[in-house]
Amino acid sequence: MAAGGCPSPVIRGREKELDTVRELVRRVKRGRSGGLLIEGECGLGKSLLLGQAARIASEGHVQVTEGPVERAGDEAAIWWDGLGKRSEQTPLLISMDDLQWAGQAAWQALTTLPDRLGRYPVAWMLARRVPDQDGGSDWLFERLEERGATRLRLGPLASSAAADLITDVAGAAPGPGLLDLARGAAGNPFLLHELVAGLVEESGVAIRDGQAVALRTPMPRRIHAAVRHMMHGAARATWHLLETAAVLGRSFRVRDAAVMLGTPPASLLPCVEEAIAGRVLDTADGALVFRHELIWRAFAEGLPQPMAQALHRQFGEILLARGGSPASAGAHLLSGAGEEDTAVLAELDRAAAEVLPTVPQVAADLANRALALTQPTDPEILPRTAAATEALTAAGQPGRATRLARSTLAVPMPAGASARLRCALSSAVLLNGQAPQALVEASKVLSEPRVAGATRDDAKTVRLQALAGVQDYHRAGELAAAILAEPGEQRCEMVTTAMVVLAGVMWDAGRLSEAMEVSANAVRLATGQPTGAWRLHPHLFLAARLVDLRRFDEARAVMRSAPGRRLDALEPIQWSVTAPMLDARIALAAGRLDDAVRHAQDTLATAAEQSRCTGAAARAVLAAVALRRGDLKAAREHLDGAGTPEQTSMGPWHSMVAAQVTEAADGPQAALTMVTAAYDEAGRHRFPLLCEPALPSWLVRTALAVGDHDRAEAVGAAAAQVAGGNPGLAAVTISAAHACGLLERDRGRLELAAEEHLDQWARASAAEDLAGLELETGLRPRAISRLDQALKDYQAAGAVRDVARVRRRLRRLGVRRGHWRAEDRPVSGWGSLTATEQAVCDLISQGLTNQQAADLKFISVHTIAFHLRQVFRKLGVSSRVEMTRLAVEQARTATAAKPATAAKPATAKRGPAAAGRDGSVNDRTHSYSV
């Protein structure tokens, strides 16, 4: 292979090397001799450095001459002796490049340089490419270095120097996209220059906002020319190897290349050696790898499209034939597929089916490619549409799957022919949170008597889950029991789904211990088995119930034991949404509100990326956090973003949070109206009572606040019945004690709840309720003690709004607890406002009256007026209009500077909830974060 060099006049990242050159020139000007040996891989700038040395020498009035590398023996010696005489008049610099091609005679002669020219003012610079295939220049450089020559080894450019080089060529600093593309040059300045210059020439770079932005990613013609230049002189067999191997990937195995070329691996040895010597290939982990991504891409993209397509197809078939990775085989078949190529389309079908359980995204790509290449009249169009729908659903794209299936089903066709596709549609809409539509589609499939096998099983499983999704627990339980009672071998995933649904039905009926046992059996059965994208995951169901019971360590252990922890099959679609959701609930219960927000937002981000669910539960967590922090506007916005009940199955917990937000803004009557079903069906459906430990007591308190004792008693009785039927579950026992103690004004039960509730917020809630009862019975010191307990636990739980309410109750009892911290603040401006002053400013700026703001902050209207006067003074304003303008500007600045997780200013759309007399139980009509 011939040498390559960088034709660019720009030199970057060689400051130390240039300093060495300057020192050599100064030495020869002082009448002394010296030598410099430059070596490096092709394209690292050896020739460019020689050119810069010539310029530096000329500017210093030193003659420059290029040595006759091709001459040898006595002829070269005579020429060098003549140079010695010339140097007596003017110092001389001899420059010689490409010494790896000089030959043995020249190398022998060059070793005499120090002896022949050492007494003259002559400097010489020799450059060579490494590695040297023949090794002769290695011997030469070692001998000359021993005789005093300085040796410079050029390496890749540092990232900063590479960025400078790109700036020189592109005319602006590189943006992230161009930098990513340039990393393929691995710091080789020749390749880097040719890449950027080629992109500029072909309009592949634009200057935007002062940065050079890459507009296209195919390799420019300059890179292809650079590769030809670097490979000049290589054997044709080596070219053939590299072109074929590029199709296999940047890294490939020799045996694969040999099979593709139809030759034994031994015959490739000379080609591999030449490619390694030319620094095109290298070895890594038992394979060969193209050293530079740009060179690999140049070979891969340089092939004619029909040839590349044929090679991809050939290698895909080889992989399938030897039983290799279906994902790898499918990727090559995907690149090699062409229209009306029935054999390749059949291989795509096969590969898609094989990779579906492990790499659903690849399966979706394969199935959609096969479908796109299928003619509308082809009999395979329907099964391929069904396969593509199934793969898209498994890959977490139920929206695309639904559109594809519905567009095909819009054309009339026999029921039997469309059964698989309609079943796939039911799975997609179920995964997208649309249980009613899933129930309709699955029922249509099951109504066709000729449908059997896997399609019927899948439709039955979808129907089972959809019944649970629409909370038709009676029919869901009957179907689950029927599946489990069927004789013969059942598909594992259908059996585990039936077990999970049955466990859910038991849970809703209050048979918690039985439900836990059945779901634990489902976990054991499912271990080691794949779980469909739309099927209930036994591990996640059991973990969620353990979170309900506040058994967090056990919940985490179940999640760690799940096969979905590998995240290499269909599990990620459920796991990536549900697992962070459970983490969010655990963090919320522990009072780690920032962590709860982070996990909930992770859930929403994943759901949005894959368009498979609305993330209603995650929005409920965000609303609960906002409620604790007293930000009613943000709480409502989070709930409004969850969609309507027709769009998604919101679930009982989401409904409860929505009711609590409504209670905080509009009062207990409005809240009770939203959850009347939870009261009226408390004796039959227990899920709403079991989502959080403090929910039964909240329902009781809300009903009592509006004088609805019948509904309060219904909830208390249901909670007591669940506790009585599950004596070993502490969470439900304490929850029932709290609800019944509140209902019956039972000090002993409230004391149990205040001491034993399994999370801080619930304990604080029970302590506050107990304080109200103590005040009713005239035990003021004990009430104050319990309010202090509630204050401490609310603070630990991050419940700002609840803390403010308890402080008000203490103030009314003549007790003030300090809560302002001494902080270093400026004396004026927004930064000088205390947290309370900022909160008051936010409320008033959004149109609330002083009375409304006082009710929301649980302080007096006079205190609000005092804080407003302080705000006016510190901000230097005299009206609410001026203050509002500054508040809006501050909010915009904060939004631009902070991440989306930052809390919003507190406000409410309507007036505060009605409060009862001081110290009464009804004074607790406030929003409870669950």
Side-chain angles (χ1 to χ4, degrees):
M1 301 181 191
C6 181
S8 170
V10 180
I11 184 166
R12 291 288 187 179
R14 304 299 185 205
E15 288 75 16
K16 292 182 179 179
E17 290 83 354
L18 287 172
D19 287 342
T20 303
V21 169
R22 293 187 183 96
E23 177 57 34
L24 179 66
V25 171
R26 286 193 291 269
R27 179 185 178 91
V28 75
K29 287 180 66 176
R30 292 195 294 266
R32 303 174 64 185
S33 68
L36 189 60
L37 308 173
I38 304 172
E39 59 187 10
E41 295 179 13
C42 181
L44 288 183
K46 301 179 295 297
S47 300
L48 184 60
L49 188 58
L50 288 178
Q52 290 287 339
R55 180 185 61 78
I56 292 170
S58 298
E59 291 174 352
H61 305 290
V62 174
Q63 295 183 59
V64 180
T65 183
E66 293 186 4
V69 175
E70 70 281 359
R71 299 179 185 178
D74 294 339
E75 183 181 359
I78 294 171
W79 186 79
W80 291 332
D81 288 340
L83 291 179
K85 296 178 180 178
R86 284 174 53 190
S87 68
E88 293 177 350
Q89 300 177 351
T90 305
L92 186 65
L93 173 65
I94 304 172
S95 176
M96 304 178 72
D97 202 355
D98 292 332
L99 263 297
Q100 71 276 2
W101 306 113
Q104 190 66 39
W107 294 329
Q108 290 284 355
L110 285 169
T111 58
T112 66
L113 271 175
D115 293 330
R116 290 183 177 274
L117 301 176
R119 63 182 183 277
Y120 298 106
V122 176
W124 37 268
M125 295 178 60
L126 310 181
R128 67 163 188 148
R129 194 183 71 189
V130 292
D132 182 353
Q133 194 167 359
D134 295 323
S137 62
D138 292 344
W139 175 83
L140 169 66
F141 272 46
E142 289 171 3
R143 299 289 83 72
L144 291 177
E145 186 177 23
E146 291 172 357
R147 303 292 297 278
T150 301
R151 196 164 180 168
L152 294 180
R153 296 178 176 87
L154 301 186
L157 293 182
S159 57
S160 58
D164 290 340
L165 177 55
I166 296 173
T167 302
D168 293 335
V169 181
L178 186 54
L179 280 175
D180 291 341
L181 193 59
R183 287 191 185 97
N188 186 297
F190 175 50
L191 291 176
L192 190 59
H193 176 275
E194 295 303 283
L195 170 69
V196 180
L199 289 173
V200 171
E201 289 175 358
E202 298 175 20
S203 301
V205 171
I207 308 300
R208 294 176 181 171
D209 299 326
Q211 286 190 321
V213 179
L215 303 179
R216 55 190 293 269
T217 55
M219 291 297 97
R221 289 185 295 273
R222 270 182 175 256
I223 287 293
H224 293 285
V227 171
R228 288 193 298 272
H229 175 68
M230 296 172 69
M231 291 290 296
H232 180 70
R236 181 57 197 160
T238 303
W239 272 93
H240 193 191
L241 167 65
L242 294 173
E243 288 174 327
T244 303
V247 173
L248 308 185
R250 185 176 175 188
S251 176
F252 64 94
R253 298 194 178 276
V254 175
R255 68 165 184 165
D256 291 335
V259 172
M260 289 286 289
L261 293 167
T263 185
S267 66
L268 298 181
L269 183 58
C271 303
V272 171
E273 288 179 339
E274 185 175 27
I276 290 177
R279 309 303 283 168
V280 175
L281 295 180
D282 206 344
T283 59
D285 299 326
L288 295 175
V289 60
F290 284 87
R291 296 190 73 251
H292 297 289
E293 183 180 356
L294 294 184
I295 295 179
W296 165 60
R297 290 185 56 184
F299 275 108
E301 295 176 14
L303 288 170
Q305 192 270 338
M307 191 69 225
Q309 193 174 40
L311 290 173
H312 276 295
R313 174 180 173 179
Q314 178 188 355
F315 191 51
E317 292 172 345
I318 289 171
L319 290 175
L320 286 179
R322 73 160 64 134
S325 165
S328 299
H332 286 286
L333 290 173
L334 194 63
S335 300
E339 293 184 10
E340 302 182 4
D341 192 338
T342 56
V344 172
L345 294 182
E347 294 293 356
L348 285 175
D349 294 339
R350 173 188 167 193
E354 289 187 9
V355 303
L356 184 61
T358 54
V359 196
Q361 184 57 62
V362 173
D365 293 341
L366 294 170
N368 277 281
R369 178 62 174 165
L371 179 61
L373 295 173
T374 303
Q375 296 298 317
T377 56
D378 192 321
E380 295 298 317
I381 189 72
L382 199 56
R384 285 196 178 121
T385 304
T389 303
E390 292 165 353
L392 286 169
T393 302
Q397 302 178 59
R400 283 185 61 193
T402 299
R403 290 191 294 273
L404 174 61
R406 289 198 186 283
S407 65
T408 304
L409 290 170
V411 179
M413 63 185 70
S418 63
R420 180 186 171 191
L421 179 56
R422 192 171 295 281
C423 184
L425 172 61
S426 71
S427 304
V429 295
L430 178 65
L431 184 59
N432 215 27
Q434 299 167 317
Q437 292 89 332
L439 184 59
V440 169
E441 299 299 339
S443 297
K444 288 180 181 179
V445 176
L446 293 171
S447 67
E448 174 56 49
R450 289 172 294 179
V451 176
T455 299
R456 191 168 190 83
D457 287 349
D458 285 347
K460 192 182 294 186
T461 307
V462 171
R463 185 168 181 265
L464 176 62
Q465 290 186 230
L467 285 170
V470 298
Q471 300 179 27
D472 189 343
Y473 298 122
H474 178 70
R475 292 169 65 197
E478 287 184 339
L479 181 55
I483 291 174
L484 295 175
E486 288 179 4
E489 293 292 329
Q490 299 288 335
R491 294 170 63 198
C492 178
E493 60 266 32
M494 187 167 73
V495 172
T496 56
T497 301
M499 293 174 72
V500 172
V501 169
L502 187 60
V505 172
M506 291 174 172
W507 189 270
D508 185 63
R511 296 154 55 192
L512 310 190
S513 298
E514 292 179 68
M516 298 285 283
E517 182 179 356
V518 171
S519 58
N521 289 335
V523 164
R524 285 190 285 271
L525 182 62
T527 300
Q529 301 292 330
T531 301
W534 45 270
R535 295 185 177 94
L536 291 174
H537 198 304
H539 293 75
L540 292 176
F541 177 84
L542 178 56
R545 303 291 72 80
L546 289 167
V547 170
D548 292 342
L549 296 175
R550 293 304 188 260
R551 290 156 64 169
F552 298 142
D553 291 341
E554 294 175 64
R556 293 189 185 98
V558 169
M559 293 170 70
R560 285 194 299 269
S561 71
R565 265 314 194 199
R566 293 194 303 267
L567 298 185
D568 59 355
L570 299 178
E571 278 85 349
I573 295 173
Q574 288 189 55
W575 203 281
S576 57
V577 171
T578 308
M581 184 61 239
L582 294 178
D583 289 335
R585 291 185 58 198
I586 291 172
L588 178 63
R592 294 182 284 104
L593 302 191
D594 288 340
D595 288 343
V597 168
R598 176 170 55 83
H599 290 307
Q601 288 180 334
D602 287 346
T603 303
L604 286 176
T606 305
E609 287 171 5
Q610 302 195 11
S611 303
R612 60 174 175 267
C613 68
T614 61
R619 293 187 182 279
V621 167
L622 294 174
V625 171
L627 195 54
R628 285 194 181 184
R629 289 172 168 169
D631 191 345
L632 301 186
K633 180 182 178 184
R636 287 203 175 205
E637 287 175 350
H638 287 309
L639 294 171
D640 291 344
T644 65
E646 291 73 23
Q647 294 172 318
T648 179
S649 300
M650 288 187 175
W653 186 53
H654 181 281
S655 300
M656 287 295 166
V657 175
Q660 290 168 344
V661 173
T662 298
E663 185 224 5
D666 303 326
Q669 184 60 62
L672 186 144
T673 302
M674 292 182 64
V675 289
T676 53
Y679 289 102
D680 298 343
E681 299 179 4
R684 294 184 295 116
H685 296 301
R686 309 298 170 73
F687 252 116
L689 307 182
L690 299 168
C691 299
E692 297 288 341
L695 273 178
S697 57
W698 179 83
L699 288 167
V700 168
R701 189 182 305 106
T702 302
L704 292 177
V706 299
D708 195 334
H709 291 275
D710 290 341
R711 283 193 165 117
E713 289 175 357
V715 170
Q721 187 178 14
V722 172
N726 301 275
L729 300 180
V732 294
T733 300
I734 299 167
S735 178
H738 189 176
C740 293
L742 186 60
L743 178 67
E744 300 171 9
R745 291 179 167 76
D746 186 324
R747 178 181 290 108
R749 291 182 178 179
L750 288 177
E751 285 179 345
L752 173 66
E755 298 297 331
E756 302 296 335
H757 256 310
L758 300 181
D759 64 57
Q760 290 173 318
W761 195 94
R763 285 198 300 274
S765 174
E768 190 178 1
D769 285 330
L770 180 57
L773 182 60
E774 302 287 19
L775 284 174
E776 282 189 348
T777 56
L779 300 175
R780 184 174 178 277
R782 294 174 64 170
I784 292 173
S785 175
R786 287 300 179 181
L787 288 175
D788 282 339
Q789 176 192 341
L791 184 67
K792 178 181 177 182
D793 284 335
Y794 279 141
Q795 287 174 328
V800 175
R801 186 171 188 273
D802 302 308
V803 166
R805 183 187 61 256
V806 172
R807 287 188 187 283
R808 183 185 68 174
R809 298 186 72 175
L810 285 167
R811 287 196 302 272
R812 288 178 177 177
L813 294 172
V815 178
R816 292 186 177 273
R817 301 298 185 209
H819 60 283
W820 284 285
R821 294 178 304 169
E823 299 182 25
D824 293 329
R825 293 194 186 95
V827 296
S828 63
W830 192 267
S832 68
L833 302 185
T834 66
T836 302
E837 290 166 350
Q838 289 184 22
V840 170
C841 179
D842 291 337
L843 292 170
I844 300 301
S845 297
Q846 298 198 29
L848 273 69
T849 65
N850 284 15
Q851 185 62 61
Q852 290 173 322
D855 291 336
L856 285 172
K857 295 298 295 178
F858 298 101
I859 54 181
S860 71
V861 68
H862 302 293
T863 303
I864 290 290
F866 169 78
H867 286 308
L868 274 179
R869 289 194 295 273
Q870 298 301 314
V871 171
F872 282 12
R873 177 181 60 80
K874 292 180 179 181
L875 297 183
V877 299
S878 58
S879 70
R880 295 182 180 224
V881 174
E882 293 178 90
M883 182 190 71
T884 299
R885 177 180 57 79
L886 290 178
V888 170
E889 291 176 358
Q890 176 64 23
R892 288 174 180 168
T893 302
T895 300
K898 295 181 179 180
T901 57
K904 300 178 182 179
T907 187
K909 289 187 176 180
R910 306 181 193 175
R917 60 189 177 86
D918 180 40
S920 69
V921 174
N922 286 350
D923 195 40
R924 293 289 311 284
T925 54
H926 61 279
S927 106
Y928 271 75
S929 302
V930 291

